[in-house]
Amino acid sequence: DAGITQSPRHKVTETGTPVTLRCHQTENHRYMYWYRQDPGHGLRLIHYSYGVKDTDKGEVSDGYSVSRSKTEDFLLTLESATSSQTSVYFCAILGQGTTEAFFGQGTRLTVV
Amino acid sequence: SQKIEQNSEALNIQEGKTATLTCNYTNYSPAYLQWYRQDPGRGPVFLLLIRENEKEKRKERLKVTFDTTLKQSLFHITASQPADSATYLCALPGDSSYKLIFGSGTRLLVRP
């Protein structure tokens, strides 16, 4: 599983509250990603990081922010959760020296 | 705009037959293309990568072709088995080599 852990695995939150999802990796990989997956849309890239404090936007970044203060942790924050952000969120890393992505187990987020 | 298209309808085939899945893309010039398998409730798992200068790649019962003129990749599973039932996603680099963008996936069902 390439040493990727997502937390929490499940969360229910209320509209308007802030939410932070955490992705932790144990193998010093440089590239980390946050995707969301919804029926009919597949995996959509939210943000990605290419190093500590280096991040860039993906296809669906509005309403999300990220931070990477150390190599092993990539945090995804929903500043004010909305029902449209109900989704399954996947973290991924790129294997060392490859473009092969390894995914975490996913976080199911429900905004009510 | 950039687009990756996979057939949203499930492919339903008999065990032993060859499954062929399609990935079409527009407004990309990818240096490579990847295929992943995703089982329900799990993150995608990398299967194969094919580079732009490769016409075909094989791995056991899997075969991938890449036609940069047609902007299309075909993914074949020969002698299909019920255990091959899953969703298959194609992925390619976006406007950066490490910005991995996914198609929406095609669900494959293999009947015993």
Side-chain angles (χ1 to χ4, degrees), chain A residues 9 31 33 35 37 40-45 48 56-59 90 94 98-106, chain B residues 28 32 34 36 38 41-47 49 51 87 89 95-105:
Chain A
R9 294 292 313 281
Y31 293 90
Y33 303 80
Y35 291 88
Q37 188 168 39
H41 290 281
L43 277 167
R44 292 183 289 176
L45 181 64
Y48 72 108
D56 200 359
K57 295 179 180 180
E59 309 162 271
F90 285 101
L94 279 193
T98 79
T99 53
E100 175 183 339
F102 295 89
F103 284 81
Q105 323 94 305
Chain B
Y28 284 102
Y32 62 86
Q34 300 177 339
Y36 289 76
Q38 186 174 23
R42 309 289 296 266
V45 174
F46 173 82
L47 295 175
L49 178 149
R51 299 193 184 281
T87 296
L89 303 103
D95 52 18
S96 138
S97 294
Y98 298 102
K99 193 172 178 178
L100 206 53
I101 307 298
F102 284 79
S104 55

Side-chain angles (χ1 to χ4, degrees), chain A residues 23-54:
Chain A
C23 178
H24 178 77
Q25 54 128 336
T26 58
E27 299 183 14
N28 251 3
H29 296 286
R30 179 180 174 191
Y31 293 90
M32 298 185 75
Y33 303 80
W34 277 108
Y35 291 88
R36 62 177 288 174
Q37 188 168 39
D38 306 287
H41 290 281
L43 277 167
R44 292 183 289 176
L45 181 64
I46 305 171
H47 283 279
Y48 72 108
S49 169
Y50 46 96
V52 173
K53 297 195 192 310
D54 292 322

Side-chain angles (χ1 to χ4, degrees), chain B residues 44-78:
Chain B
V45 174
F46 173 82
L47 295 175
L48 277 170
L49 178 149
I50 186 164
R51 299 193 184 281
E52 60 180 338
N53 60 349
E54 298 174 314
K55 291 265 192 271
E56 182 180 297
K57 200 87 170 271
R58 290 176 187 262
K59 179 182 176 182
E60 298 171 354
R61 294 184 296 110
L62 308 181
K63 184 178 90 170
V64 172
T65 63
F66 193 12
D67 189 326
T68 55
T69 301
L70 288 180
K71 296 188 182 294
Q72 180 181 81
S73 175
L74 299 179
F75 176 81
H76 307 272
I77 305 176
T78 58

Side-chain angles (χ1 to χ4, degrees), chain A residues 12 14 20 25-26 30 44 51 62 66 78 81-82 84 99 106 110:
Chain A
V12 180
E14 292 187 350
T20 295
Q25 54 128 336
T26 58
R30 179 180 174 191
R44 292 183 289 176
D62 286 349
V66 289
L78 291 65
T82 67
S84 65
T99 53
T110 303

